[in-house]
Amino acid sequence: MGIFTKRSDLEKEWEALRKQETAYIRWKEKRQETFVNKKLQDKVPKKLQEKLDAAFSKAFFLVFEKGTAVIEKTYKKEEIQKEYKVREYAAKLSPRRKYLKEFKKKSKDSFKKNLFLSGVEGIGLGVLGIGLPDIPIFVGMILKSIYEISLIYGYSYEEEKERLYILQLIQNAMSYGKEFEKGETKIDDILNRREGYDMKEEILRTSQLLSKELIYIKFLQGLPAVGVAGGAYNTIYLHKILTYADIKYRKRFLTDWKQKWE
């Protein structure tokens, strides 16, 4: 009887996830230009794109090479890992849906907290007319937020393969249409392969996609009179990335759960 109950609970969670994922994929089928982007298309200096590419790639290299320890000081890594084990044990003993949903709830709590922090940071620097210099902080916030989500679902972010996976998460969150479809295939491929991907190349690709998406906002954020509006967009783009990251990590979690406990 317990086995059937567990399978039923897992199937319900899987169905809920699939609905969310399907809605997200449908939204990604066609790119929606923002009002701000449309208004600023002819006003942004051409060289700004190159500066943004360089700033984002430098920030990713810096964080991956030297900044992980600094990021880990902003949250309680060991406590998150212990909480995961407690939730896993409870769900394993009594596999009811409410225990499985605890993982998602914890991820959403982390999600909301980091969105708030990103908004405060972005608006604060926007008021001062700071655009490009906030990129290392924004990249750090993206990675911090994804790291927390990965730990909540029981995954480490320290191996190179997992970092490649995280970079692809960010790429997909910034992609649309056919490129998003290709990225969906690639993200599964990364998990199944140990070789064939170059970290430097993936960092550059991620940086280019982020800078292309954020170029108008960073330009706007650098103008003191309207910088607060540009800074607020940090939260909007972080929300896009974390929504996708939560879907993909939760999907991995439920897939692995089925293999381990059914």
Side-chain angles (χ1 to χ4, degrees):
M1 184 68 180
I3 294 177
F4 289 103
T5 302
K6 180 170 62 175
R7 183 174 299 156
S8 176
D9 293 333
L10 184 61
E11 286 175 352
K12 289 176 182 178
E13 278 300 286
W14 185 261
E15 183 180 355
L17 171 66
R18 289 294 295 170
K19 287 181 180 179
Q20 183 184 9
E21 184 180 39
T22 299
Y24 187 89
I25 292 173
R26 188 175 295 118
W27 173 68
K28 278 288 190 175
E29 289 176 353
K30 187 176 180 181
R31 180 182 179 86
Q32 299 292 330
E33 284 286 359
T34 66
F35 174 79
V36 172
N37 287 9
K38 291 177 182 178
K39 288 294 183 181
L40 294 178
Q41 283 178 354
D42 299 324
K43 297 180 174 60
V44 177
K46 293 182 179 180
K47 289 187 177 181
L48 182 59
Q49 187 73 68
E50 295 178 6
K51 290 182 179 180
L52 271 178
D53 287 351
F56 273 113
S57 61
K58 183 178 180 180
F60 275 110
F61 280 117
L62 181 64
V63 172
F64 278 167
E65 291 178 7
K66 301 178 181 179
T68 299
V70 176
I71 290 177
E72 288 179 342
K73 292 180 180 179
T74 64
Y75 56 86
K76 298 177 181 178
K77 179 181 178 180
E78 292 184 359
E79 185 174 316
I80 295 174
Q81 291 173 321
K82 288 179 181 177
E83 288 178 352
Y84 167 79
K85 291 179 180 179
V86 170
R87 288 192 300 274
E88 180 188 46
Y89 184 69
K92 183 174 66 173
L93 287 179
S94 182
R96 286 177 290 179
R97 193 180 181 193
K98 72 173 185 178
Y99 292 117
L100 289 174
K101 289 174 71 173
E102 282 297 313
F103 296 92
K104 180 182 177 181
K105 181 180 181 300
K106 188 69 177 178
S107 178
K108 290 298 182 185
D109 290 343
S110 172
F111 189 131
K112 292 176 183 178
K113 176 193 68 178
N114 287 318
L115 284 179
F116 173 77
L117 293 175
S118 177
V120 171
E121 172 266 318
I123 292 172
L125 293 177
V127 170
L128 299 175
I130 298 175
L132 292 182
D134 94 313
I135 287 176
I137 299 174
F138 184 52
V139 168
M141 179 58 71
I142 291 173
L143 293 176
K144 169 190 183 298
S145 304
I146 296 177
Y147 287 174
E148 288 187 48
I149 290 173
S150 71
L151 291 173
I152 288 168
Y153 285 113
Y155 299 99
S156 172
Y157 47 77
E158 295 172 356
E159 294 183 6
E160 181 173 293
K161 184 169 72 171
E162 197 68 31
R163 292 185 176 188
L164 287 168
Y165 180 81
I166 289 171
L167 288 172
Q168 191 61 44
L169 283 175
I170 299 169
Q171 289 179 34
N172 289 4
M174 294 293 105
S175 301
Y176 300 86
K178 295 294 184 181
E179 288 304 312
F180 177 76
E181 290 179 18
K182 292 178 183 177
E184 279 277 273
T185 300
K186 185 177 174 182
I187 202 167
D188 292 331
D189 188 51
I190 287 173
L191 289 178
N192 297 322
R193 293 173 59 184
R194 296 185 178 181
E195 298 179 356
Y197 293 98
D198 181 81
M199 178 66 74
K200 182 177 180 180
E201 182 180 326
E202 293 305 320
I203 286 176
L204 292 175
R205 191 191 307 275
T206 305
S207 301
Q208 289 168 357
L209 282 168
L210 275 170
S211 65
K212 183 179 179 181
E213 188 73 15
L214 292 167
I215 184 169
Y216 302 114
I217 303 307
K218 290 305 168 188
F219 171 73
L220 188 65
Q221 193 175 352
L223 304 176
V226 291
V228 64
Y233 270 78
N234 280 5
T235 302
I236 294 173
Y237 283 100
L238 183 62
H239 186 278
K240 289 183 180 180
I241 294 169
L242 297 189
T243 297
Y244 184 68
D246 180 72
I247 289 172
K248 301 308 285 188
Y249 271 111
R250 189 168 168 232
K251 186 174 183 178
R252 283 177 67 184
F253 166 76
L254 291 176
T255 301
D256 290 344
W257 187 274
K258 180 180 178 67
Q259 293 174 350
K260 285 193 296 185
W261 306 120
E262 274 207 341

mmCIF file of all heavy atoms in Angstrom, residues 13 20 83 87 97-113 148-149 152-153 246 250 253:
data_model
loop_
_atom_site.group_PDB
_atom_site.id
_atom_site.type_symbol
_atom_site.label_atom_id
_atom_site.label_comp_id
_atom_site.label_asym_id
_atom_site.label_seq_id
_atom_site.Cartn_x
_atom_site.Cartn_y
_atom_site.Cartn_z
ATOM 1 N N GLU A 13 2.998 15.435 -8.067
ATOM 2 C CA GLU A 13 4.026 16.476 -8.117
ATOM 3 C C GLU A 13 4.588 16.613 -9.526
ATOM 4 O O GLU A 13 4.851 17.711 -10.004
ATOM 5 C CB GLU A 13 5.155 16.155 -7.129
ATOM 6 C CG GLU A 13 4.869 16.563 -5.702
ATOM 7 C CD GLU A 13 4.625 18.059 -5.597
ATOM 8 O OE1 GLU A 13 5.584 18.845 -5.688
ATOM 9 O OE2 GLU A 13 3.444 18.460 -5.449
ATOM 10 N N GLN A 20 3.701 23.525 -15.219
ATOM 11 C CA GLN A 20 4.506 24.737 -15.090
ATOM 12 C C GLN A 20 5.555 24.813 -16.196
ATOM 13 O O GLN A 20 5.755 25.868 -16.813
ATOM 14 C CB GLN A 20 5.193 24.764 -13.721
ATOM 15 C CG GLN A 20 5.995 26.040 -13.483
ATOM 16 C CD GLN A 20 6.751 26.011 -12.171
ATOM 17 O OE1 GLN A 20 6.826 24.985 -11.492
ATOM 18 N NE2 GLN A 20 7.339 27.137 -11.788
ATOM 19 N N GLU A 83 19.244 20.605 6.274
ATOM 20 C CA GLU A 83 17.786 20.691 6.113
ATOM 21 C C GLU A 83 17.315 19.794 4.976
ATOM 22 O O GLU A 83 16.236 19.194 5.058
ATOM 23 C CB GLU A 83 17.373 22.145 5.848
ATOM 24 C CG GLU A 83 17.499 23.049 7.073
ATOM 25 C CD GLU A 83 17.137 24.485 6.765
ATOM 26 O OE1 GLU A 83 16.934 24.814 5.565
ATOM 27 O OE2 GLU A 83 17.045 25.293 7.712
ATOM 28 N N ARG A 87 14.489 16.791 5.311
ATOM 29 C CA ARG A 87 13.301 16.709 4.452
ATOM 30 C C ARG A 87 13.298 15.414 3.651
ATOM 31 O O ARG A 87 12.246 14.783 3.477
ATOM 32 C CB ARG A 87 13.247 17.914 3.503
ATOM 33 C CG ARG A 87 12.886 19.221 4.165
ATOM 34 C CD ARG A 87 12.562 20.285 3.130
ATOM 35 N NE ARG A 87 13.687 20.539 2.245
ATOM 36 C CZ ARG A 87 14.672 21.397 2.513
ATOM 37 N NH1 ARG A 87 14.661 22.090 3.650
ATOM 38 N NH2 ARG A 87 15.655 21.583 1.655
ATOM 39 N N ARG A 97 2.474 13.787 -0.368
ATOM 40 C CA ARG A 97 2.796 14.904 -1.247
ATOM 41 C C ARG A 97 3.282 16.135 -0.474
ATOM 42 O O ARG A 97 4.138 16.881 -0.944
ATOM 43 C CB ARG A 97 1.565 15.269 -2.091
ATOM 44 C CG ARG A 97 1.912 16.203 -3.235
ATOM 45 C CD ARG A 97 0.697 16.550 -4.061
ATOM 46 N NE ARG A 97 1.053 17.414 -5.158
ATOM 47 C CZ ARG A 97 0.183 18.066 -5.893
ATOM 48 N NH1 ARG A 97 -1.114 17.963 -5.642
ATOM 49 N NH2 ARG A 97 0.592 18.850 -6.875
ATOM 50 N N LYS A 98 2.756 16.333 0.718
ATOM 51 C CA LYS A 98 3.129 17.533 1.469
ATOM 52 C C LYS A 98 4.617 17.535 1.811
ATOM 53 O O LYS A 98 5.241 18.593 1.897
ATOM 54 C CB LYS A 98 2.286 17.666 2.739
ATOM 55 C CG LYS A 98 2.607 16.669 3.835
ATOM 56 C CD LYS A 98 1.816 17.004 5.104
ATOM 57 C CE LYS A 98 2.190 16.102 6.263
ATOM 58 N NZ LYS A 98 1.469 16.467 7.494
ATOM 59 N N TYR A 99 5.215 16.368 1.976
ATOM 60 C CA TYR A 99 6.647 16.310 2.262
ATOM 61 C C TYR A 99 7.464 16.592 1.004
ATOM 62 O O TYR A 99 8.498 17.266 1.060
ATOM 63 C CB TYR A 99 7.018 14.948 2.838
ATOM 64 C CG TYR A 99 6.454 14.713 4.220
ATOM 65 C CD1 TYR A 99 5.535 13.695 4.450
ATOM 66 C CD2 TYR A 99 6.825 15.520 5.292
ATOM 67 C CE1 TYR A 99 5.004 13.484 5.722
ATOM 68 C CE2 TYR A 99 6.298 15.323 6.557
ATOM 69 C CZ TYR A 99 5.384 14.296 6.765
ATOM 70 O OH TYR A 99 4.859 14.091 8.018
ATOM 71 N N LEU A 100 7.010 16.076 -0.133
ATOM 72 C CA LEU A 100 7.698 16.365 -1.381
ATOM 73 C C LEU A 100 7.603 17.854 -1.731
ATOM 74 O O LEU A 100 8.533 18.442 -2.278
ATOM 75 C CB LEU A 100 7.106 15.526 -2.518
ATOM 76 C CG LEU A 100 7.394 14.024 -2.484
ATOM 77 C CD1 LEU A 100 6.618 13.305 -3.581
ATOM 78 C CD2 LEU A 100 8.877 13.737 -2.616
ATOM 79 N N LYS A 101 6.477 18.465 -1.392
ATOM 80 C CA LYS A 101 6.278 19.880 -1.702
ATOM 81 C C LYS A 101 7.151 20.790 -0.840
ATOM 82 O O LYS A 101 7.348 21.958 -1.181
ATOM 83 C CB LYS A 101 4.801 20.255 -1.515
ATOM 84 C CG LYS A 101 3.889 19.658 -2.583
ATOM 85 C CD LYS A 101 2.429 19.934 -2.297
ATOM 86 C CE LYS A 101 2.081 21.377 -2.505
ATOM 87 N NZ LYS A 101 0.617 21.625 -2.382
ATOM 88 N N GLU A 102 7.680 20.277 0.261
ATOM 89 C CA GLU A 102 8.538 21.077 1.133
ATOM 90 C C GLU A 102 9.794 21.551 0.402
ATOM 91 O O GLU A 102 10.308 22.629 0.675
ATOM 92 C CB GLU A 102 8.926 20.282 2.377
ATOM 93 C CG GLU A 102 7.841 20.214 3.438
ATOM 94 C CD GLU A 102 7.509 21.590 4.000
ATOM 95 O OE1 GLU A 102 8.451 22.338 4.324
ATOM 96 O OE2 GLU A 102 6.317 21.912 4.103
ATOM 97 N N PHE A 103 10.293 20.730 -0.508
ATOM 98 C CA PHE A 103 11.490 21.115 -1.257
ATOM 99 C C PHE A 103 11.192 22.335 -2.132
ATOM 100 O O PHE A 103 11.987 23.282 -2.189
ATOM 101 C CB PHE A 103 11.970 19.946 -2.128
ATOM 102 C CG PHE A 103 12.415 18.750 -1.339
ATOM 103 C CD1 PHE A 103 11.528 17.728 -1.030
ATOM 104 C CD2 PHE A 103 13.718 18.649 -0.887
ATOM 105 C CE1 PHE A 103 11.930 16.621 -0.301
ATOM 106 C CE2 PHE A 103 14.142 17.546 -0.159
ATOM 107 C CZ PHE A 103 13.238 16.532 0.143
ATOM 108 N N LYS A 104 10.052 22.303 -2.808
ATOM 109 C CA LYS A 104 9.655 23.428 -3.649
ATOM 110 C C LYS A 104 9.409 24.677 -2.809
ATOM 111 O O LYS A 104 9.812 25.784 -3.197
ATOM 112 C CB LYS A 104 8.387 23.064 -4.424
ATOM 113 C CG LYS A 104 7.892 24.185 -5.326
ATOM 114 C CD LYS A 104 6.600 23.791 -6.031
ATOM 115 C CE LYS A 104 6.078 24.946 -6.876
ATOM 116 N NZ LYS A 104 4.808 24.602 -7.558
ATOM 117 N N LYS A 105 8.766 24.523 -1.675
ATOM 118 C CA LYS A 105 8.482 25.662 -0.806
ATOM 119 C C LYS A 105 9.776 26.335 -0.346
ATOM 120 O O LYS A 105 9.894 27.556 -0.344
ATOM 121 C CB LYS A 105 7.671 25.212 0.408
ATOM 122 C CG LYS A 105 7.303 26.342 1.360
ATOM 123 C CD LYS A 105 6.498 25.827 2.541
ATOM 124 C CE LYS A 105 6.103 26.969 3.472
ATOM 125 N NZ LYS A 105 7.288 27.691 4.026
ATOM 126 N N LYS A 106 10.751 25.508 0.044
ATOM 127 C CA LYS A 106 12.024 26.046 0.506
ATOM 128 C C LYS A 106 12.725 26.790 -0.619
ATOM 129 O O LYS A 106 13.313 27.856 -0.410
ATOM 130 C CB LYS A 106 12.916 24.904 1.003
ATOM 131 C CG LYS A 106 14.191 25.364 1.683
ATOM 132 C CD LYS A 106 13.903 26.035 3.008
ATOM 133 C CE LYS A 106 15.191 26.429 3.715
ATOM 134 N NZ LYS A 106 14.944 27.120 4.991
ATOM 135 N N SER A 107 12.654 26.252 -1.831
ATOM 136 C CA SER A 107 13.260 26.908 -2.984
ATOM 137 C C SER A 107 12.586 28.249 -3.260
ATOM 138 O O SER A 107 13.256 29.251 -3.547
ATOM 139 C CB SER A 107 13.150 26.003 -4.214
ATOM 140 O OG SER A 107 13.683 26.636 -5.359
ATOM 141 N N LYS A 108 11.270 28.300 -3.167
ATOM 142 C CA LYS A 108 10.536 29.539 -3.409
ATOM 143 C C LYS A 108 10.873 30.602 -2.362
ATOM 144 O O LYS A 108 10.953 31.796 -2.672
ATOM 145 C CB LYS A 108 9.029 29.266 -3.403
ATOM 146 C CG LYS A 108 8.534 28.471 -4.605
ATOM 147 C CD LYS A 108 8.764 29.220 -5.903
ATOM 148 C CE LYS A 108 8.211 28.439 -7.082
ATOM 149 N NZ LYS A 108 8.524 29.109 -8.380
ATOM 150 N N ASP A 109 11.061 30.179 -1.116
ATOM 151 C CA ASP A 109 11.433 31.130 -0.059
ATOM 152 C C ASP A 109 12.785 31.769 -0.373
ATOM 153 O O ASP A 109 12.979 32.986 -0.218
ATOM 154 C CB ASP A 109 11.492 30.419 1.295
ATOM 155 C CG ASP A 109 10.114 30.019 1.806
ATOM 156 O OD1 ASP A 109 9.116 30.567 1.299
ATOM 157 O OD2 ASP A 109 10.039 29.158 2.701
ATOM 158 N N SER A 110 13.740 30.949 -0.803
ATOM 159 C CA SER A 110 15.059 31.445 -1.176
ATOM 160 C C SER A 110 14.949 32.365 -2.391
ATOM 161 O O SER A 110 15.580 33.430 -2.453
ATOM 162 C CB SER A 110 15.981 30.263 -1.497
ATOM 163 O OG SER A 110 17.202 30.700 -2.039
ATOM 164 N N PHE A 111 14.143 31.958 -3.341
ATOM 165 C CA PHE A 111 13.854 32.710 -4.568
ATOM 166 C C PHE A 111 13.409 34.135 -4.215
ATOM 167 O O PHE A 111 13.977 35.129 -4.698
ATOM 168 C CB PHE A 111 12.754 31.935 -5.289
ATOM 169 C CG PHE A 111 12.405 32.368 -6.679
ATOM 170 C CD1 PHE A 111 12.311 31.427 -7.691
ATOM 171 C CD2 PHE A 111 12.128 33.687 -6.985
ATOM 172 C CE1 PHE A 111 11.961 31.782 -8.976
ATOM 173 C CE2 PHE A 111 11.776 34.073 -8.269
ATOM 174 C CZ PHE A 111 11.688 33.116 -9.263
ATOM 175 N N LYS A 112 12.391 34.244 -3.376
ATOM 176 C CA LYS A 112 11.823 35.549 -3.013
ATOM 177 C C LYS A 112 12.831 36.420 -2.273
ATOM 178 O O LYS A 112 12.923 37.627 -2.516
ATOM 179 C CB LYS A 112 10.575 35.340 -2.156
ATOM 180 C CG LYS A 112 9.408 34.722 -2.904
ATOM 181 C CD LYS A 112 8.243 34.452 -1.965
ATOM 182 C CE LYS A 112 7.095 33.763 -2.682
ATOM 183 N NZ LYS A 112 5.974 33.449 -1.756
ATOM 184 N N LYS A 113 13.575 35.816 -1.371
ATOM 185 C CA LYS A 113 14.572 36.566 -0.596
ATOM 186 C C LYS A 113 15.614 37.184 -1.519
ATOM 187 O O LYS A 113 15.964 38.362 -1.391
ATOM 188 C CB LYS A 113 15.238 35.637 0.411
ATOM 189 C CG LYS A 113 16.357 36.284 1.222
ATOM 190 C CD LYS A 113 17.169 35.234 1.955
ATOM 191 C CE LYS A 113 17.958 34.370 0.974
ATOM 192 N NZ LYS A 113 18.809 33.359 1.645
ATOM 193 N N GLU A 148 21.929 28.316 -4.121
ATOM 194 C CA GLU A 148 21.009 27.993 -3.029
ATOM 195 C C GLU A 148 19.919 27.026 -3.493
ATOM 196 O O GLU A 148 19.580 26.073 -2.787
ATOM 197 C CB GLU A 148 20.379 29.268 -2.470
ATOM 198 C CG GLU A 148 21.337 30.121 -1.653
ATOM 199 C CD GLU A 148 20.651 31.289 -0.973
ATOM 200 O OE1 GLU A 148 19.595 31.082 -0.340
ATOM 201 O OE2 GLU A 148 21.162 32.416 -1.083
ATOM 202 N N ILE A 149 19.383 27.267 -4.685
ATOM 203 C CA ILE A 149 18.358 26.375 -5.227
ATOM 204 C C ILE A 149 18.921 24.965 -5.402
ATOM 205 O O ILE A 149 18.274 23.967 -5.058
ATOM 206 C CB ILE A 149 17.809 26.915 -6.564
ATOM 207 C CG1 ILE A 149 16.960 28.172 -6.324
ATOM 208 C CG2 ILE A 149 16.958 25.852 -7.279
ATOM 209 C CD1 ILE A 149 16.510 28.865 -7.596
ATOM 210 N N ILE A 152 19.209 23.226 -2.055
ATOM 211 C CA ILE A 152 17.886 22.898 -1.515
ATOM 212 C C ILE A 152 17.358 21.596 -2.115
ATOM 213 O O ILE A 152 16.727 20.788 -1.430
ATOM 214 C CB ILE A 152 16.906 24.058 -1.758
ATOM 215 C CG1 ILE A 152 17.252 25.231 -0.822
ATOM 216 C CG2 ILE A 152 15.451 23.616 -1.532
ATOM 217 C CD1 ILE A 152 16.556 26.528 -1.163
ATOM 218 N N TYR A 153 17.646 21.376 -3.401
ATOM 219 C CA TYR A 153 17.206 20.142 -4.059
ATOM 220 C C TYR A 153 18.231 19.013 -3.955
ATOM 221 O O TYR A 153 18.038 17.943 -4.536
ATOM 222 C CB TYR A 153 16.878 20.412 -5.526
ATOM 223 C CG TYR A 153 15.556 21.136 -5.719
ATOM 224 C CD1 TYR A 153 15.514 22.437 -6.201
ATOM 225 C CD2 TYR A 153 14.352 20.502 -5.414
ATOM 226 C CE1 TYR A 153 14.304 23.095 -6.374
ATOM 227 C CE2 TYR A 153 13.137 21.155 -5.589
ATOM 228 C CZ TYR A 153 13.120 22.456 -6.067
ATOM 229 O OH TYR A 153 11.907 23.105 -6.233
ATOM 230 N N ASP A 246 14.594 26.878 -11.067
ATOM 231 C CA ASP A 246 13.779 26.104 -10.135
ATOM 232 C C ASP A 246 13.062 24.957 -10.856
ATOM 233 O O ASP A 246 12.994 23.838 -10.340
ATOM 234 C CB ASP A 246 12.760 27.012 -9.446
ATOM 235 C CG ASP A 246 11.888 26.259 -8.459
ATOM 236 O OD1 ASP A 246 12.395 25.875 -7.393
ATOM 237 O OD2 ASP A 246 10.700 26.024 -8.763
ATOM 238 N N ARG A 250 14.059 21.143 -9.953
ATOM 239 C CA ARG A 250 12.955 20.346 -9.405
ATOM 240 C C ARG A 250 12.687 19.124 -10.275
ATOM 241 O O ARG A 250 12.385 18.031 -9.767
ATOM 242 C CB ARG A 250 11.703 21.215 -9.307
ATOM 243 C CG ARG A 250 10.548 20.551 -8.556
ATOM 244 C CD ARG A 250 9.468 21.568 -8.246
ATOM 245 N NE ARG A 250 8.269 20.897 -7.794
ATOM 246 C CZ ARG A 250 7.049 21.100 -8.307
ATOM 247 N NH1 ARG A 250 6.885 21.967 -9.281
ATOM 248 N NH2 ARG A 250 6.011 20.454 -7.846
ATOM 249 N N PHE A 253 15.291 16.648 -9.458
ATOM 250 C CA PHE A 253 15.014 16.092 -8.136
ATOM 251 C C PHE A 253 13.939 15.015 -8.198
ATOM 252 O O PHE A 253 14.105 13.916 -7.653
ATOM 253 C CB PHE A 253 14.581 17.228 -7.202
ATOM 254 C CG PHE A 253 13.956 16.764 -5.916
ATOM 255 C CD1 PHE A 253 14.734 16.253 -4.890
ATOM 256 C CD2 PHE A 253 12.577 16.836 -5.738
ATOM 257 C CE1 PHE A 253 14.146 15.820 -3.704
ATOM 258 C CE2 PHE A 253 11.986 16.405 -4.562
ATOM 259 C CZ PHE A 253 12.783 15.901 -3.543
#
